[in-house]
Amino acid sequence: MSEPEPSSEQRIDTSVPHSARIWNYWLGGKDNYPVDEAAGDAYTAVFPGIVTIARSSRAFLGRTIRHLAGEAGIRQFLDVGTGLPTVDNTHEVAQSVAPDARIVYVDHDPLVLTHARALLTSTPEGATDYIDAELYDTDRILASAAKTLDLTRPTALILSGILGHVADYEAARGIVRDLMAGLPSGSYLSLNEGSRGTDPAYEQAQDAYNETGAVPYFLRPVDQIEAFFEGLELAAPGVVSVPLWRPETGSAATAVPIGQHGGLARKP
């Protein structure tokens, strides 16, 4: 498979901090610039818990993927808004459980596109691909994904911390509905988002960040995050703060709620 290249229209702006690069910095990645590190450090100075939120979100994603590839028997994954490659990327986790798993990543960030080659490794039995597409262009996402995935078979849709970038809540719900409508019965939705109602310090820090002129991310009340799963069958324990979603053996006693909620649900 050929590696994607950024188009001439796409330019990486290193003068303005970018949320995907800041998130990468908090996760311990290297795909960021001094402006992102400065913004990330300024944020953590106000709210040090953001690093825990970033890493807990990543750990939740890994647990849901291992469940899907293992107990649920899912072999196809559509990861929309994948962000920058770090550790335990979707294909790495899925293929460690099921080597024949097929994964399609979707993003529309020029830096992500530049580094997409790191997402295009695969086991010989499986496959990975990358689609450069806007989150709103659900028809294109599904049509392009169908070149690698058989969308007549159950597929896991992954939306990890991406819908907070959609300011209009109903538009965000529409994206979820449209993508799930293109997947058959037996498919799954793994979704987690920054939430309101658990940690006021996080909410204040995020609201202040959104006013800096950087790409904003909007925290949502838990009931709005729950509504993304409308019409789907939620797996236990439902929509909860991500450290509380099926924590690893030995960590359940120390898991505490944070301002990041998520869940996993099956399409009937």
Side-chain angles (χ1 to χ4, degrees):
M1 180 183 300
S2 60
E3 296 173 356
E5 296 295 339
S7 66
S8 58
E9 292 80 13
Q10 292 178 310
R11 303 296 180 195
I12 298 170
D13 186 351
T14 62
S15 66
V16 177
H18 190 289
S19 58
R21 301 194 303 253
I22 297 170
W23 197 259
N24 175 267
Y25 175 55
W26 287 332
L27 286 173
K30 304 298 183 184
D31 295 322
N32 46 74
Y33 294 98
V35 67
D36 306 305
E37 296 181 13
D41 289 342
Y43 196 119
T44 56
V46 175
F47 179 63
I50 190 60
V51 175
T52 298
I53 286 176
R55 296 181 181 181
S56 296
S57 172
R58 195 71 173 183
F60 164 84
L61 177 61
R63 294 196 302 277
T64 63
I65 293 171
R66 282 190 289 273
H67 170 80
L68 289 165
E71 295 176 47
I74 296 296
R75 295 294 179 267
Q76 302 191 127
F77 297 81
L78 178 57
D79 187 339
V80 180
T82 182
L84 290 160
T86 52
V87 295
D88 294 334
N89 298 297
T90 296
H91 72 285
E92 294 169 330
V93 177
Q95 291 181 345
S96 71
V97 178
D100 59 336
R102 304 176 74 84
I103 295 89
V104 170
Y105 292 102
V106 183
D107 211 303
H108 191 61
D109 182 297
L111 186 62
V112 177
L113 183 60
T114 299
H115 290 272
R117 62 180 61 88
L119 298 174
L120 291 178
T121 59
S122 175
T123 58
E125 304 95 321
T128 64
D129 201 358
Y130 180 93
I131 300 168
D132 177 23
E134 291 276 8
L135 176 62
Y136 298 90
D137 197 350
T138 54
D139 288 343
R140 181 183 175 199
I141 289 171
L142 291 167
S144 298
K147 298 174 183 178
T148 300
L149 309 178
D150 178 357
L151 297 187
T152 67
R153 297 175 53 219
T155 300
L157 172 64
I158 296 168
L159 296 168
S160 182
I162 185 64
L163 295 175
H165 291 300
V166 181
D168 184 275
Y169 175 61
E170 289 306 320
R173 289 190 68 184
I175 289 167
V176 178
R177 283 194 298 266
D178 290 348
L179 289 172
M180 289 304 297
L183 305 180
S185 173
S187 293
Y188 283 82
L189 170 63
S190 170
L191 179 149
N192 72 97
E193 289 292 328
S195 57
R196 292 188 179 275
T198 301
D199 191 335
Y202 176 33
E203 296 165 26
Q204 293 169 9
Q206 187 60 44
D207 291 345
Y209 171 84
N210 288 350
E211 295 173 0
T212 66
V215 177
Y217 182 87
F218 301 96
L219 306 181
R220 292 199 160 101
V222 176
D223 63 338
Q224 291 190 358
I225 297 174
E226 290 173 338
F228 285 129
F229 295 94
E230 183 179 12
L232 306 177
E233 300 169 344
L234 276 164
V239 175
V240 295
S241 183
V242 292
L244 307 182
W245 196 92
R246 304 190 184 190
E248 302 287 355
T249 302
S251 63
T254 58
V256 296
I258 60 174
Q260 186 85 10
H261 280 66
L264 178 69
R266 182 182 183 275
K267 181 175 179 178

PDB file of all heavy atoms in Angstrom, residues 240-259:
ATOM      1  N   VAL A 240     -20.079   5.512  31.633  1.00  0.00           N
ATOM      2  CA  VAL A 240     -19.493   5.836  32.932  1.00  0.00           C
ATOM      3  C   VAL A 240     -18.200   6.619  32.711  1.00  0.00           C
ATOM      4  O   VAL A 240     -17.682   6.696  31.590  1.00  0.00           O
ATOM      5  CB  VAL A 240     -19.186   4.550  33.748  1.00  0.00           C
ATOM      6  CG1 VAL A 240     -20.476   3.814  34.099  1.00  0.00           C
ATOM      7  CG2 VAL A 240     -18.231   3.641  32.983  1.00  0.00           C
ATOM      8  N   SER A 241     -17.678   7.184  33.787  1.00  0.00           N
ATOM      9  CA  SER A 241     -16.356   7.792  33.710  1.00  0.00           C
ATOM     10  C   SER A 241     -15.367   6.705  33.278  1.00  0.00           C
ATOM     11  O   SER A 241     -15.403   5.578  33.791  1.00  0.00           O
ATOM     12  CB  SER A 241     -15.961   8.368  35.067  1.00  0.00           C
ATOM     13  OG  SER A 241     -14.705   9.017  34.979  1.00  0.00           O
ATOM     14  N   VAL A 242     -14.495   7.026  32.323  1.00  0.00           N
ATOM     15  CA  VAL A 242     -13.740   5.976  31.637  1.00  0.00           C
ATOM     16  C   VAL A 242     -12.889   5.074  32.538  1.00  0.00           C
ATOM     17  O   VAL A 242     -12.756   3.884  32.245  1.00  0.00           O
ATOM     18  CB  VAL A 242     -12.897   6.555  30.473  1.00  0.00           C
ATOM     19  CG1 VAL A 242     -13.806   7.057  29.363  1.00  0.00           C
ATOM     20  CG2 VAL A 242     -11.962   7.660  30.948  1.00  0.00           C
ATOM     21  N   PRO A 243     -12.321   5.554  33.656  1.00  0.00           N
ATOM     22  CA  PRO A 243     -11.566   4.603  34.483  1.00  0.00           C
ATOM     23  C   PRO A 243     -12.453   3.515  35.097  1.00  0.00           C
ATOM     24  O   PRO A 243     -11.951   2.466  35.517  1.00  0.00           O
ATOM     25  CB  PRO A 243     -10.950   5.483  35.582  1.00  0.00           C
ATOM     26  CG  PRO A 243     -10.974   6.861  35.031  1.00  0.00           C
ATOM     27  CD  PRO A 243     -12.201   6.920  34.187  1.00  0.00           C
ATOM     28  N   LEU A 244     -13.772   3.777  35.157  1.00  0.00           N
ATOM     29  CA  LEU A 244     -14.692   2.829  35.776  1.00  0.00           C
ATOM     30  C   LEU A 244     -15.267   1.830  34.781  1.00  0.00           C
ATOM     31  O   LEU A 244     -16.021   0.937  35.167  1.00  0.00           O
ATOM     32  CB  LEU A 244     -15.847   3.593  36.455  1.00  0.00           C
ATOM     33  CG  LEU A 244     -15.438   4.693  37.445  1.00  0.00           C
ATOM     34  CD1 LEU A 244     -16.677   5.324  38.077  1.00  0.00           C
ATOM     35  CD2 LEU A 244     -14.504   4.144  38.514  1.00  0.00           C
ATOM     36  N   TRP A 245     -14.914   1.974  33.490  1.00  0.00           N
ATOM     37  CA  TRP A 245     -15.420   1.041  32.486  1.00  0.00           C
ATOM     38  C   TRP A 245     -14.507  -0.198  32.453  1.00  0.00           C
ATOM     39  O   TRP A 245     -13.415  -0.154  31.897  1.00  0.00           O
ATOM     40  CB  TRP A 245     -15.482   1.677  31.092  1.00  0.00           C
ATOM     41  CG  TRP A 245     -16.342   0.886  30.141  1.00  0.00           C
ATOM     42  CD1 TRP A 245     -17.677   1.069  29.897  1.00  0.00           C
ATOM     43  CD2 TRP A 245     -15.931  -0.215  29.310  1.00  0.00           C
ATOM     44  NE1 TRP A 245     -18.122   0.135  28.987  1.00  0.00           N
ATOM     45  CE2 TRP A 245     -17.085  -0.661  28.613  1.00  0.00           C
ATOM     46  CE3 TRP A 245     -14.730  -0.869  29.112  1.00  0.00           C
ATOM     47  CZ2 TRP A 245     -17.048  -1.732  27.710  1.00  0.00           C
ATOM     48  CZ3 TRP A 245     -14.685  -1.938  28.233  1.00  0.00           C
ATOM     49  CH2 TRP A 245     -15.827  -2.360  27.539  1.00  0.00           C
ATOM     50  N   ARG A 246     -14.984  -1.251  33.101  1.00  0.00           N
ATOM     51  CA  ARG A 246     -14.274  -2.536  33.118  1.00  0.00           C
ATOM     52  C   ARG A 246     -12.773  -2.367  33.375  1.00  0.00           C
ATOM     53  O   ARG A 246     -11.936  -2.743  32.526  1.00  0.00           O
ATOM     54  CB  ARG A 246     -14.523  -3.308  31.829  1.00  0.00           C
ATOM     55  CG  ARG A 246     -16.005  -3.537  31.540  1.00  0.00           C
ATOM     56  CD  ARG A 246     -16.227  -4.495  30.406  1.00  0.00           C
ATOM     57  NE  ARG A 246     -17.651  -4.619  30.096  1.00  0.00           N
ATOM     58  CZ  ARG A 246     -18.177  -5.513  29.276  1.00  0.00           C
ATOM     59  NH1 ARG A 246     -17.372  -6.383  28.656  1.00  0.00           N
ATOM     60  NH2 ARG A 246     -19.474  -5.562  29.044  1.00  0.00           N
ATOM     61  N   PRO A 247     -12.407  -1.791  34.501  1.00  0.00           N
ATOM     62  CA  PRO A 247     -10.977  -1.587  34.791  1.00  0.00           C
ATOM     63  C   PRO A 247     -10.223  -2.903  34.848  1.00  0.00           C
ATOM     64  O   PRO A 247     -10.800  -3.956  35.129  1.00  0.00           O
ATOM     65  CB  PRO A 247     -11.001  -0.887  36.157  1.00  0.00           C
ATOM     66  CG  PRO A 247     -12.317  -1.226  36.761  1.00  0.00           C
ATOM     67  CD  PRO A 247     -13.273  -1.356  35.608  1.00  0.00           C
ATOM     68  N   GLU A 248      -8.948  -2.812  34.552  1.00  0.00           N
ATOM     69  CA  GLU A 248      -8.110  -4.006  34.581  1.00  0.00           C
ATOM     70  C   GLU A 248      -8.097  -4.605  35.988  1.00  0.00           C
ATOM     71  O   GLU A 248      -8.244  -3.906  36.995  1.00  0.00           O
ATOM     72  CB  GLU A 248      -6.671  -3.650  34.172  1.00  0.00           C
ATOM     73  CG  GLU A 248      -6.542  -3.021  32.796  1.00  0.00           C
ATOM     74  CD  GLU A 248      -6.753  -4.005  31.662  1.00  0.00           C
ATOM     75  OE1 GLU A 248      -6.910  -5.211  31.952  1.00  0.00           O
ATOM     76  OE2 GLU A 248      -6.762  -3.573  30.499  1.00  0.00           O
ATOM     77  N   THR A 249      -7.919  -5.923  36.038  1.00  0.00           N
ATOM     78  CA  THR A 249      -7.850  -6.603  37.322  1.00  0.00           C
ATOM     79  C   THR A 249      -6.748  -5.981  38.181  1.00  0.00           C
ATOM     80  O   THR A 249      -5.626  -5.782  37.732  1.00  0.00           O
ATOM     81  CB  THR A 249      -7.555  -8.098  37.119  1.00  0.00           C
ATOM     82  OG1 THR A 249      -8.570  -8.658  36.291  1.00  0.00           O
ATOM     83  CG2 THR A 249      -7.522  -8.841  38.446  1.00  0.00           C
ATOM     84  N   GLY A 250      -7.116  -5.654  39.408  1.00  0.00           N
ATOM     85  CA  GLY A 250      -6.138  -5.060  40.317  1.00  0.00           C
ATOM     86  C   GLY A 250      -6.214  -3.551  40.391  1.00  0.00           C
ATOM     87  O   GLY A 250      -5.706  -2.952  41.335  1.00  0.00           O
ATOM     88  N   SER A 251      -6.850  -2.914  39.392  1.00  0.00           N
ATOM     89  CA  SER A 251      -6.931  -1.450  39.404  1.00  0.00           C
ATOM     90  C   SER A 251      -8.329  -0.952  39.758  1.00  0.00           C
ATOM     91  O   SER A 251      -8.529   0.251  39.925  1.00  0.00           O
ATOM     92  CB  SER A 251      -6.508  -0.873  38.051  1.00  0.00           C
ATOM     93  OG  SER A 251      -7.390  -1.309  37.025  1.00  0.00           O
ATOM     94  N   ALA A 252      -9.297  -1.875  39.865  1.00  0.00           N
ATOM     95  CA  ALA A 252     -10.674  -1.464  40.129  1.00  0.00           C
ATOM     96  C   ALA A 252     -10.798  -0.711  41.444  1.00  0.00           C
ATOM     97  O   ALA A 252     -11.551   0.268  41.547  1.00  0.00           O
ATOM     98  CB  ALA A 252     -11.593  -2.687  40.129  1.00  0.00           C
ATOM     99  N   ALA A 253     -10.054  -1.125  42.448  1.00  0.00           N
ATOM    100  CA  ALA A 253     -10.174  -0.513  43.769  1.00  0.00           C
ATOM    101  C   ALA A 253      -9.656   0.917  43.780  1.00  0.00           C
ATOM    102  O   ALA A 253     -10.077   1.726  44.613  1.00  0.00           O
ATOM    103  CB  ALA A 253      -9.425  -1.350  44.803  1.00  0.00           C
ATOM    104  N   THR A 254      -8.764   1.247  42.859  1.00  0.00           N
ATOM    105  CA  THR A 254      -8.166   2.585  42.847  1.00  0.00           C
ATOM    106  C   THR A 254      -8.752   3.484  41.757  1.00  0.00           C
ATOM    107  O   THR A 254      -8.363   4.644  41.644  1.00  0.00           O
ATOM    108  CB  THR A 254      -6.647   2.490  42.650  1.00  0.00           C
ATOM    109  OG1 THR A 254      -6.367   1.802  41.421  1.00  0.00           O
ATOM    110  CG2 THR A 254      -6.000   1.718  43.799  1.00  0.00           C
ATOM    111  N   ALA A 255      -9.672   2.964  40.950  1.00  0.00           N
ATOM    112  CA  ALA A 255     -10.268   3.757  39.875  1.00  0.00           C
ATOM    113  C   ALA A 255     -11.172   4.828  40.460  1.00  0.00           C
ATOM    114  O   ALA A 255     -12.033   4.546  41.300  1.00  0.00           O
ATOM    115  CB  ALA A 255     -11.060   2.851  38.936  1.00  0.00           C
ATOM    116  N   VAL A 256     -10.974   6.066  40.027  1.00  0.00           N
ATOM    117  CA  VAL A 256     -11.796   7.180  40.510  1.00  0.00           C
ATOM    118  C   VAL A 256     -12.368   7.920  39.306  1.00  0.00           C
ATOM    119  O   VAL A 256     -11.745   7.980  38.238  1.00  0.00           O
ATOM    120  CB  VAL A 256     -10.980   8.140  41.386  1.00  0.00           C
ATOM    121  CG1 VAL A 256     -10.512   7.440  42.649  1.00  0.00           C
ATOM    122  CG2 VAL A 256      -9.788   8.712  40.628  1.00  0.00           C
ATOM    123  N   PRO A 257     -13.559   8.494  39.447  1.00  0.00           N
ATOM    124  CA  PRO A 257     -14.182   9.189  38.316  1.00  0.00           C
ATOM    125  C   PRO A 257     -13.380  10.429  37.901  1.00  0.00           C
ATOM    126  O   PRO A 257     -12.819  11.130  38.740  1.00  0.00           O
ATOM    127  CB  PRO A 257     -15.559   9.592  38.871  1.00  0.00           C
ATOM    128  CG  PRO A 257     -15.791   8.696  40.041  1.00  0.00           C
ATOM    129  CD  PRO A 257     -14.445   8.435  40.620  1.00  0.00           C
ATOM    130  N   ILE A 258     -13.342  10.672  36.607  1.00  0.00           N
ATOM    131  CA  ILE A 258     -12.742  11.876  36.034  1.00  0.00           C
ATOM    132  C   ILE A 258     -13.713  12.446  35.015  1.00  0.00           C
ATOM    133  O   ILE A 258     -14.739  11.829  34.696  1.00  0.00           O
ATOM    134  CB  ILE A 258     -11.374  11.577  35.370  1.00  0.00           C
ATOM    135  CG1 ILE A 258     -11.539  10.549  34.231  1.00  0.00           C
ATOM    136  CG2 ILE A 258     -10.368  11.086  36.393  1.00  0.00           C
ATOM    137  CD1 ILE A 258     -10.264  10.298  33.437  1.00  0.00           C
ATOM    138  N   GLY A 259     -13.391  13.618  34.483  1.00  0.00           N
ATOM    139  CA  GLY A 259     -14.276  14.274  33.542  1.00  0.00           C
ATOM    140  C   GLY A 259     -14.149  13.765  32.122  1.00  0.00           C
ATOM    141  O   GLY A 259     -13.949  14.539  31.172  1.00  0.00           O
TER     142      GLY A 259
END
